[in-house]
mmCIF file of all heavy atoms in Angstrom:
data_model
loop_
_atom_site.group_PDB
_atom_site.id
_atom_site.type_symbol
_atom_site.label_atom_id
_atom_site.label_comp_id
_atom_site.label_asym_id
_atom_site.label_seq_id
_atom_site.Cartn_x
_atom_site.Cartn_y
_atom_site.Cartn_z
ATOM 1 N N MET A 1 8.363 -2.705 -3.702
ATOM 2 C CA MET A 1 6.910 -2.671 -3.728
ATOM 3 C C MET A 1 6.380 -4.089 -3.904
ATOM 4 O O MET A 1 6.830 -4.824 -4.766
ATOM 5 C CB MET A 1 6.426 -1.793 -4.886
ATOM 6 C CG MET A 1 4.926 -1.766 -4.994
ATOM 7 S SD MET A 1 4.284 -0.705 -6.278
ATOM 8 C CE MET A 1 4.743 0.887 -5.695
ATOM 9 N N LYS A 2 5.413 -4.443 -3.072
ATOM 10 C CA LYS A 2 4.767 -5.744 -3.195
ATOM 11 C C LYS A 2 3.581 -5.635 -4.135
ATOM 12 O O LYS A 2 2.923 -4.595 -4.194
ATOM 13 C CB LYS A 2 4.271 -6.224 -1.831
ATOM 14 C CG LYS A 2 5.360 -6.596 -0.859
ATOM 15 C CD LYS A 2 4.739 -7.193 0.383
ATOM 16 C CE LYS A 2 5.746 -7.418 1.481
ATOM 17 N NZ LYS A 2 6.821 -8.313 1.153
ATOM 18 N N VAL A 3 3.298 -6.704 -4.853
ATOM 19 C CA VAL A 3 2.105 -6.772 -5.687
ATOM 20 C C VAL A 3 1.248 -7.908 -5.157
ATOM 21 O O VAL A 3 1.692 -9.052 -5.111
ATOM 22 C CB VAL A 3 2.463 -7.016 -7.173
ATOM 23 C CG1 VAL A 3 1.206 -7.091 -8.015
ATOM 24 C CG2 VAL A 3 3.370 -5.918 -7.673
ATOM 25 N N ARG A 4 0.046 -7.583 -4.738
ATOM 26 C CA ARG A 4 -0.825 -8.557 -4.093
ATOM 27 C C ARG A 4 -2.219 -8.527 -4.705
ATOM 28 O O ARG A 4 -2.630 -7.531 -5.294
ATOM 29 C CB ARG A 4 -0.965 -8.234 -2.595
ATOM 30 C CG ARG A 4 0.280 -8.450 -1.787
ATOM 31 C CD ARG A 4 0.556 -9.928 -1.620
ATOM 32 N NE ARG A 4 1.852 -10.195 -1.025
ATOM 33 C CZ ARG A 4 2.042 -10.357 0.273
ATOM 34 N NH1 ARG A 4 1.057 -10.249 1.107
ATOM 35 N NH2 ARG A 4 3.255 -10.633 0.722
ATOM 36 N N ASN A 5 -2.954 -9.632 -4.524
ATOM 37 C CA ASN A 5 -4.339 -9.667 -4.960
ATOM 38 C C ASN A 5 -5.232 -8.855 -4.031
ATOM 39 O O ASN A 5 -6.157 -8.192 -4.478
ATOM 40 C CB ASN A 5 -4.851 -11.116 -5.011
ATOM 41 C CG ASN A 5 -4.242 -11.878 -6.158
ATOM 42 O OD1 ASN A 5 -3.910 -11.296 -7.184
ATOM 43 N ND2 ASN A 5 -4.079 -13.169 -5.988
ATOM 44 N N SER A 6 -4.942 -8.944 -2.743
ATOM 45 C CA SER A 6 -5.746 -8.219 -1.762
ATOM 46 C C SER A 6 -4.829 -7.415 -0.851
ATOM 47 O O SER A 6 -3.825 -7.919 -0.351
ATOM 48 C CB SER A 6 -6.580 -9.201 -0.935
ATOM 49 O OG SER A 6 -7.268 -8.492 0.067
ATOM 50 N N LEU A 7 -5.198 -6.158 -0.629
ATOM 51 C CA LEU A 7 -4.365 -5.275 0.192
ATOM 52 C C LEU A 7 -4.884 -5.134 1.620
ATOM 53 O O LEU A 7 -4.295 -4.428 2.420
ATOM 54 C CB LEU A 7 -4.303 -3.883 -0.447
ATOM 55 C CG LEU A 7 -3.690 -3.806 -1.834
ATOM 56 C CD1 LEU A 7 -3.700 -2.381 -2.328
ATOM 57 C CD2 LEU A 7 -2.286 -4.353 -1.850
ATOM 58 N N LYS A 8 -5.964 -5.803 1.938
ATOM 59 C CA LYS A 8 -6.589 -5.613 3.245
ATOM 60 C C LYS A 8 -5.670 -6.032 4.390
ATOM 61 O O LYS A 8 -5.570 -5.348 5.403
ATOM 62 C CB LYS A 8 -7.886 -6.410 3.298
ATOM 63 C CG LYS A 8 -8.742 -6.099 4.510
ATOM 64 C CD LYS A 8 -10.025 -6.885 4.476
ATOM 65 C CE LYS A 8 -11.149 -6.013 4.041
ATOM 66 N NZ LYS A 8 -12.455 -6.654 4.195
ATOM 67 N N ALA A 9 -4.962 -7.139 4.207
ATOM 68 C CA ALA A 9 -4.062 -7.617 5.264
ATOM 69 C C ALA A 9 -2.853 -6.703 5.403
ATOM 70 O O ALA A 9 -2.330 -6.503 6.498
ATOM 71 C CB ALA A 9 -3.623 -9.037 4.976
ATOM 72 N N LEU A 10 -2.402 -6.141 4.285
ATOM 73 C CA LEU A 10 -1.221 -5.278 4.338
ATOM 74 C C LEU A 10 -1.529 -3.922 4.961
ATOM 75 O O LEU A 10 -0.624 -3.252 5.462
ATOM 76 C CB LEU A 10 -0.668 -5.063 2.922
ATOM 77 C CG LEU A 10 -0.161 -6.295 2.181
ATOM 78 C CD1 LEU A 10 0.368 -5.897 0.821
ATOM 79 C CD2 LEU A 10 0.913 -7.012 2.962
ATOM 80 N N MET A 11 -2.781 -3.513 4.916
ATOM 81 C CA MET A 11 -3.162 -2.213 5.486
ATOM 82 C C MET A 11 -2.938 -2.167 6.990
ATOM 83 O O MET A 11 -2.620 -1.122 7.553
ATOM 84 C CB MET A 11 -4.640 -1.915 5.197
ATOM 85 C CG MET A 11 -4.890 -1.231 3.880
ATOM 86 S SD MET A 11 -4.156 0.393 3.770
ATOM 87 C CE MET A 11 -5.205 1.323 4.855
ATOM 88 N N THR A 12 -3.097 -3.296 7.646
ATOM 89 C CA THR A 12 -3.041 -3.315 9.117
ATOM 90 C C THR A 12 -1.613 -3.419 9.649
ATOM 91 O O THR A 12 -1.422 -3.413 10.855
ATOM 92 C CB THR A 12 -3.873 -4.495 9.657
ATOM 93 O OG1 THR A 12 -3.322 -5.720 9.135
ATOM 94 C CG2 THR A 12 -5.317 -4.384 9.233
ATOM 95 N N ARG A 13 -0.619 -3.512 8.758
ATOM 96 C CA ARG A 13 0.758 -3.714 9.227
ATOM 97 C C ARG A 13 1.383 -2.460 9.813
ATOM 98 O O ARG A 13 2.326 -2.544 10.588
ATOM 99 C CB ARG A 13 1.625 -4.236 8.084
ATOM 100 C CG ARG A 13 1.274 -5.646 7.683
ATOM 101 C CD ARG A 13 2.094 -6.119 6.517
ATOM 102 N NE ARG A 13 3.489 -6.274 6.886
ATOM 103 C CZ ARG A 13 4.500 -6.212 6.022
ATOM 104 N NH1 ARG A 13 4.255 -5.997 4.766
ATOM 105 N NH2 ARG A 13 5.743 -6.350 6.426
ATOM 106 N N HIS A 14 0.872 -1.287 9.446
ATOM 107 C CA HIS A 14 1.424 -0.031 9.961
ATOM 108 C C HIS A 14 0.284 0.975 10.036
ATOM 109 O O HIS A 14 -0.564 1.013 9.160
ATOM 110 C CB HIS A 14 2.533 0.465 9.025
ATOM 111 C CG HIS A 14 3.421 1.502 9.645
ATOM 112 N ND1 HIS A 14 3.049 2.818 9.760
ATOM 113 C CD2 HIS A 14 4.660 1.407 10.182
ATOM 114 C CE1 HIS A 14 4.023 3.493 10.338
ATOM 115 N NE2 HIS A 14 5.011 2.659 10.614
ATOM 116 N N ARG A 15 0.277 1.800 11.070
ATOM 117 C CA ARG A 15 -0.865 2.698 11.244
ATOM 118 C C ARG A 15 -0.850 3.887 10.295
ATOM 119 O O ARG A 15 -1.866 4.552 10.113
ATOM 120 C CB ARG A 15 -0.953 3.194 12.686
ATOM 121 C CG ARG A 15 0.270 3.926 13.148
ATOM 122 C CD ARG A 15 0.170 4.288 14.615
ATOM 123 N NE ARG A 15 1.389 4.883 15.083
ATOM 124 C CZ ARG A 15 1.728 6.143 14.859
ATOM 125 N NH1 ARG A 15 0.941 6.924 14.166
ATOM 126 N NH2 ARG A 15 2.864 6.620 15.322
ATOM 127 N N ALA A 16 0.298 4.150 9.648
ATOM 128 C CA ALA A 16 0.376 5.292 8.728
ATOM 129 C C ALA A 16 0.078 4.911 7.279
ATOM 130 O O ALA A 16 0.213 5.745 6.400
ATOM 131 C CB ALA A 16 1.763 5.928 8.825
ATOM 132 N N ASN A 17 -0.311 3.664 7.053
ATOM 133 C CA ASN A 17 -0.625 3.231 5.686
ATOM 134 C C ASN A 17 -1.863 3.947 5.156
ATOM 135 O O ASN A 17 -2.849 4.104 5.872
ATOM 136 C CB ASN A 17 -0.877 1.723 5.637
ATOM 137 C CG ASN A 17 0.405 0.935 5.678
ATOM 138 O OD1 ASN A 17 1.474 1.475 5.521
ATOM 139 N ND2 ASN A 17 0.285 -0.359 5.886
ATOM 140 N N LYS A 18 -1.799 4.352 3.892
ATOM 141 C CA LYS A 18 -2.948 4.992 3.253
ATOM 142 C C LYS A 18 -3.257 4.271 1.954
ATOM 143 O O LYS A 18 -2.368 3.867 1.218
ATOM 144 C CB LYS A 18 -2.646 6.455 2.954
ATOM 145 C CG LYS A 18 -2.618 7.320 4.185
ATOM 146 C CD LYS A 18 -2.657 8.780 3.799
ATOM 147 C CE LYS A 18 -2.898 9.654 5.004
ATOM 148 N NZ LYS A 18 -1.901 9.492 6.040
ATOM 149 N N LEU A 19 -4.546 4.117 1.679
ATOM 150 C CA LEU A 19 -5.016 3.486 0.450
ATOM 151 C C LEU A 19 -5.290 4.566 -0.583
ATOM 152 O O LEU A 19 -6.026 5.508 -0.321
ATOM 153 C CB LEU A 19 -6.291 2.699 0.741
ATOM 154 C CG LEU A 19 -6.655 1.583 -0.221
ATOM 155 C CD1 LEU A 19 -5.655 0.457 -0.091
ATOM 156 C CD2 LEU A 19 -8.042 1.094 0.061
ATOM 157 N N VAL A 20 -4.657 4.448 -1.759
ATOM 158 C CA VAL A 20 -4.760 5.474 -2.795
ATOM 159 C C VAL A 20 -5.114 4.809 -4.120
ATOM 160 O O VAL A 20 -4.579 3.752 -4.448
ATOM 161 C CB VAL A 20 -3.417 6.233 -2.946
ATOM 162 C CG1 VAL A 20 -3.545 7.342 -3.974
ATOM 163 C CG2 VAL A 20 -2.974 6.801 -1.621
ATOM 164 N N ARG A 21 -6.046 5.431 -4.866
ATOM 165 C CA ARG A 21 -6.361 4.939 -6.201
ATOM 166 C C ARG A 21 -5.736 5.857 -7.235
ATOM 167 O O ARG A 21 -6.004 7.052 -7.260
ATOM 168 C CB ARG A 21 -7.880 4.929 -6.409
ATOM 169 C CG ARG A 21 -8.555 3.863 -5.625
ATOM 170 C CD ARG A 21 -9.895 3.531 -6.225
ATOM 171 N NE ARG A 21 -10.415 2.302 -5.655
ATOM 172 C CZ ARG A 21 -11.175 2.262 -4.574
ATOM 173 N NH1 ARG A 21 -11.498 3.377 -3.964
ATOM 174 N NH2 ARG A 21 -11.608 1.119 -4.110
ATOM 175 N N ARG A 22 -4.877 5.273 -8.087
ATOM 176 C CA ARG A 22 -4.227 6.044 -9.143
ATOM 177 C C ARG A 22 -4.270 5.258 -10.438
ATOM 178 O O ARG A 22 -3.850 4.106 -10.476
ATOM 179 C CB ARG A 22 -2.763 6.312 -8.802
ATOM 180 C CG ARG A 22 -2.602 7.309 -7.676
ATOM 181 C CD ARG A 22 -1.138 7.530 -7.378
ATOM 182 N NE ARG A 22 -0.994 8.330 -6.166
ATOM 183 C CZ ARG A 22 0.107 8.358 -5.444
ATOM 184 N NH1 ARG A 22 1.149 7.650 -5.784
ATOM 185 N NH2 ARG A 22 0.166 9.107 -4.368
ATOM 186 N N ARG A 23 -4.775 5.906 -11.484
ATOM 187 C CA ARG A 23 -4.818 5.320 -12.838
ATOM 188 C C ARG A 23 -5.457 3.938 -12.846
ATOM 189 O O ARG A 23 -4.994 3.011 -13.505
ATOM 190 C CB ARG A 23 -3.415 5.219 -13.438
ATOM 191 C CG ARG A 23 -2.721 6.558 -13.588
ATOM 192 C CD ARG A 23 -1.390 6.390 -14.293
ATOM 193 N NE ARG A 23 -0.539 7.549 -14.072
ATOM 194 C CZ ARG A 23 0.396 7.599 -13.132
ATOM 195 N NH1 ARG A 23 0.613 6.576 -12.339
ATOM 196 N NH2 ARG A 23 1.127 8.678 -13.003
ATOM 197 N N GLY A 24 -6.528 3.775 -12.073
ATOM 198 C CA GLY A 24 -7.246 2.506 -12.060
ATOM 199 C C GLY A 24 -6.602 1.415 -11.229
ATOM 200 O O GLY A 24 -7.108 0.303 -11.180
ATOM 201 N N ARG A 25 -5.508 1.711 -10.566
ATOM 202 C CA ARG A 25 -4.859 0.742 -9.693
ATOM 203 C C ARG A 25 -4.972 1.197 -8.258
ATOM 204 O O ARG A 25 -5.060 2.385 -7.976
ATOM 205 C CB ARG A 25 -3.386 0.574 -10.053
ATOM 206 C CG ARG A 25 -3.175 -0.154 -11.352
ATOM 207 C CD ARG A 25 -1.725 -0.518 -11.515
ATOM 208 N NE ARG A 25 -1.541 -1.421 -12.641
ATOM 209 C CZ ARG A 25 -0.544 -1.339 -13.510
ATOM 210 N NH1 ARG A 25 0.350 -0.388 -13.387
ATOM 211 N NH2 ARG A 25 -0.449 -2.196 -14.487
ATOM 212 N N VAL A 26 -4.931 0.230 -7.338
ATOM 213 C CA VAL A 26 -5.034 0.532 -5.914
ATOM 214 C C VAL A 26 -3.651 0.371 -5.296
ATOM 215 O O VAL A 26 -2.991 -0.650 -5.475
ATOM 216 C CB VAL A 26 -6.044 -0.408 -5.224
ATOM 217 C CG1 VAL A 26 -6.245 0.006 -3.779
ATOM 218 C CG2 VAL A 26 -7.363 -0.381 -5.961
ATOM 219 N N TYR A 27 -3.216 1.394 -4.583
ATOM 220 C CA TYR A 27 -1.884 1.400 -3.971
ATOM 221 C C TYR A 27 -1.995 1.608 -2.473
ATOM 222 O O TYR A 27 -2.933 2.247 -1.995
ATOM 223 C CB TYR A 27 -1.033 2.548 -4.525
ATOM 224 C CG TYR A 27 -0.647 2.412 -5.974
ATOM 225 C CD1 TYR A 27 -1.453 2.925 -6.974
ATOM 226 C CD2 TYR A 27 0.546 1.803 -6.343
ATOM 227 C CE1 TYR A 27 -1.099 2.815 -8.309
ATOM 228 C CE2 TYR A 27 0.920 1.693 -7.670
ATOM 229 C CZ TYR A 27 0.096 2.204 -8.639
ATOM 230 O OH TYR A 27 0.449 2.089 -9.955
ATOM 231 N N ILE A 28 -1.001 1.096 -1.746
ATOM 232 C CA ILE A 28 -0.793 1.475 -0.349
ATOM 233 C C ILE A 28 0.492 2.293 -0.304
ATOM 234 O O ILE A 28 1.523 1.857 -0.813
ATOM 235 C CB ILE A 28 -0.672 0.250 0.567
ATOM 236 C CG1 ILE A 28 -2.023 -0.407 0.752
ATOM 237 C CG2 ILE A 28 -0.113 0.651 1.920
ATOM 238 C CD1 ILE A 28 -1.972 -1.641 1.604
ATOM 239 N N ILE A 29 0.407 3.488 0.284
ATOM 240 C CA ILE A 29 1.605 4.303 0.467
ATOM 241 C C ILE A 29 1.758 4.622 1.947
ATOM 242 O O ILE A 29 0.799 4.611 2.706
ATOM 243 C CB ILE A 29 1.543 5.609 -0.359
ATOM 244 C CG1 ILE A 29 0.304 6.408 -0.006
ATOM 245 C CG2 ILE A 29 1.592 5.309 -1.843
ATOM 246 C CD1 ILE A 29 0.293 7.772 -0.632
ATOM 247 N N ASN A 30 3.003 4.880 2.325
ATOM 248 C CA ASN A 30 3.297 5.183 3.722
ATOM 249 C C ASN A 30 4.400 6.233 3.750
ATOM 250 O O ASN A 30 5.528 5.973 3.331
ATOM 251 C CB ASN A 30 3.739 3.905 4.443
ATOM 252 C CG ASN A 30 3.795 4.079 5.928
ATOM 253 O OD1 ASN A 30 4.076 5.158 6.430
ATOM 254 N ND2 ASN A 30 3.521 3.017 6.651
ATOM 255 N N LYS A 31 4.063 7.422 4.234
ATOM 256 C CA LYS A 31 5.039 8.516 4.274
ATOM 257 C C LYS A 31 6.054 8.328 5.400
ATOM 258 O O LYS A 31 7.179 8.801 5.311
ATOM 259 C CB LYS A 31 4.314 9.846 4.477
ATOM 260 C CG LYS A 31 3.385 10.225 3.343
ATOM 261 C CD LYS A 31 4.114 11.041 2.303
ATOM 262 C CE LYS A 31 3.302 11.261 1.063
ATOM 263 N NZ LYS A 31 2.327 12.308 1.165
ATOM 264 N N VAL A 32 5.652 7.619 6.453
ATOM 265 C CA VAL A 32 6.519 7.472 7.625
ATOM 266 C C VAL A 32 7.573 6.393 7.387
ATOM 267 O O VAL A 32 8.759 6.616 7.575
ATOM 268 C CB VAL A 32 5.674 7.129 8.876
ATOM 269 C CG1 VAL A 32 6.571 6.981 10.092
ATOM 270 C CG2 VAL A 32 4.639 8.214 9.116
ATOM 271 N N ASP A 33 7.127 5.214 6.970
ATOM 272 C CA ASP A 33 8.028 4.085 6.739
ATOM 273 C C ASP A 33 7.860 3.631 5.295
ATOM 274 O O ASP A 33 6.877 2.997 4.941
ATOM 275 C CB ASP A 33 7.683 2.951 7.707
ATOM 276 C CG ASP A 33 8.813 1.952 7.825
ATOM 277 O OD1 ASP A 33 9.704 1.994 6.969
ATOM 278 O OD2 ASP A 33 8.804 1.138 8.755
ATOM 279 N N LYS A 34 8.839 3.998 4.463
ATOM 280 C CA LYS A 34 8.677 3.866 3.018
ATOM 281 C C LYS A 34 8.647 2.425 2.520
ATOM 282 O O LYS A 34 8.299 2.170 1.377
ATOM 283 C CB LYS A 34 9.823 4.594 2.304
ATOM 284 C CG LYS A 34 9.876 6.062 2.607
ATOM 285 C CD LYS A 34 8.909 6.823 1.718
ATOM 286 C CE LYS A 34 9.285 8.271 1.642
ATOM 287 N NZ LYS A 34 8.350 9.151 2.303
ATOM 288 N N ARG A 35 9.040 1.462 3.359
ATOM 289 C CA ARG A 35 9.062 0.095 2.856
ATOM 290 C C ARG A 35 7.683 -0.536 2.807
ATOM 291 O O ARG A 35 7.523 -1.616 2.224
ATOM 292 C CB ARG A 35 10.019 -0.777 3.688
ATOM 293 C CG ARG A 35 9.578 -0.984 5.101
ATOM 294 C CD ARG A 35 10.748 -1.459 5.947
ATOM 295 N NE ARG A 35 10.328 -1.612 7.326
ATOM 296 C CZ ARG A 35 9.992 -2.785 7.851
ATOM 297 N NH1 ARG A 35 10.048 -3.877 7.141
ATOM 298 N NH2 ARG A 35 9.612 -2.843 9.104
ATOM 299 N N PHE A 36 6.673 0.090 3.384
ATOM 300 C CA PHE A 36 5.303 -0.432 3.307
ATOM 301 C C PHE A 36 4.615 0.137 2.072
ATOM 302 O O PHE A 36 3.742 1.002 2.164
ATOM 303 C CB PHE A 36 4.510 -0.059 4.560
ATOM 304 C CG PHE A 36 4.968 -0.789 5.789
ATOM 305 C CD1 PHE A 36 5.746 -0.140 6.723
ATOM 306 C CD2 PHE A 36 4.646 -2.110 6.004
ATOM 307 C CE1 PHE A 36 6.179 -0.809 7.868
ATOM 308 C CE2 PHE A 36 5.063 -2.789 7.132
ATOM 309 C CZ PHE A 36 5.840 -2.132 8.060
ATOM 310 N N LYS A 37 5.019 -0.350 0.889
ATOM 311 C CA LYS A 37 4.371 0.064 -0.335
ATOM 312 C C LYS A 37 3.830 -1.162 -1.027
ATOM 313 O O LYS A 37 4.483 -2.206 -1.060
ATOM 314 C CB LYS A 37 5.353 0.765 -1.274
ATOM 315 C CG LYS A 37 5.650 2.183 -0.887
ATOM 316 C CD LYS A 37 6.200 2.965 -2.055
ATOM 317 C CE LYS A 37 7.540 2.431 -2.516
ATOM 318 N NZ LYS A 37 8.240 3.357 -3.405
ATOM 319 N N ALA A 38 2.624 -1.065 -1.606
ATOM 320 C CA ALA A 38 2.042 -2.215 -2.273
ATOM 321 C C ALA A 38 1.114 -1.736 -3.374
ATOM 322 O O ALA A 38 0.587 -0.631 -3.345
ATOM 323 C CB ALA A 38 1.286 -3.094 -1.293
ATOM 324 N N ARG A 39 0.936 -2.646 -4.343
ATOM 325 C CA ARG A 39 0.013 -2.381 -5.440
ATOM 326 C C ARG A 39 -0.864 -3.605 -5.627
ATOM 327 O O ARG A 39 -0.416 -4.722 -5.447
ATOM 328 C CB ARG A 39 0.801 -2.109 -6.728
ATOM 329 C CG ARG A 39 -0.053 -1.967 -7.951
ATOM 330 C CD ARG A 39 0.745 -1.509 -9.129
ATOM 331 N NE ARG A 39 1.637 -2.505 -9.698
ATOM 332 C CZ ARG A 39 1.246 -3.494 -10.507
ATOM 333 N NH1 ARG A 39 -0.010 -3.633 -10.817
ATOM 334 N NH2 ARG A 39 2.127 -4.326 -10.990
ATOM 335 N N GLN A 40 -2.129 -3.358 -5.968
ATOM 336 C CA GLN A 40 -3.050 -4.481 -6.172
ATOM 337 C C GLN A 40 -3.141 -4.850 -7.646
ATOM 338 O O GLN A 40 -3.208 -3.996 -8.506
ATOM 339 C CB GLN A 40 -4.440 -4.123 -5.631
ATOM 340 C CG GLN A 40 -5.446 -5.231 -5.807
ATOM 341 C CD GLN A 40 -6.695 -4.986 -5.015
ATOM 342 O OE1 GLN A 40 -6.656 -4.453 -3.923
ATOM 343 N NE2 GLN A 40 -7.818 -5.371 -5.571
ATOM 344 N N GLY A 41 -3.147 -6.175 -7.910
ATOM 345 C CA GLY A 41 -3.459 -6.657 -9.253
ATOM 346 C C GLY A 41 -2.286 -6.969 -10.126
ATOM 347 O O GLY A 41 -1.217 -6.547 -10.079
#
């Protein structure tokens, strides 16, 4: 999992990426290709 300040650039890397808010944090998850995971902050 990558930790980044901004997730906007990472969102465009795969079309199945989804932006999810959990416990006050912003995550990118991808059910198709699991290596595209990221957390903000």
Side-chain angles (χ1 to χ4, degrees):
M1 178 177 294
K2 291 186 188 300
V3 180
R4 291 288 171 93
N5 288 330
S6 176
L7 298 180
K8 190 178 257 189
L10 297 181
M11 273 296 288
T12 60
R13 291 177 68 205
H14 197 281
R15 59 185 175 79
N17 282 348
K18 287 194 169 58
L19 202 69
V20 183
R21 288 202 167 90
R22 289 180 189 159
R23 299 185 198 97
R25 289 191 170 139
V26 186
Y27 292 90
I28 287 178
I29 57 172
N30 191 328
K31 296 270 171 80
V32 180
D33 198 345
K34 299 277 200 249
R35 66 198 178 99
F36 290 103
K37 282 200 296 194
R39 174 172 73 79
Q40 180 167 324

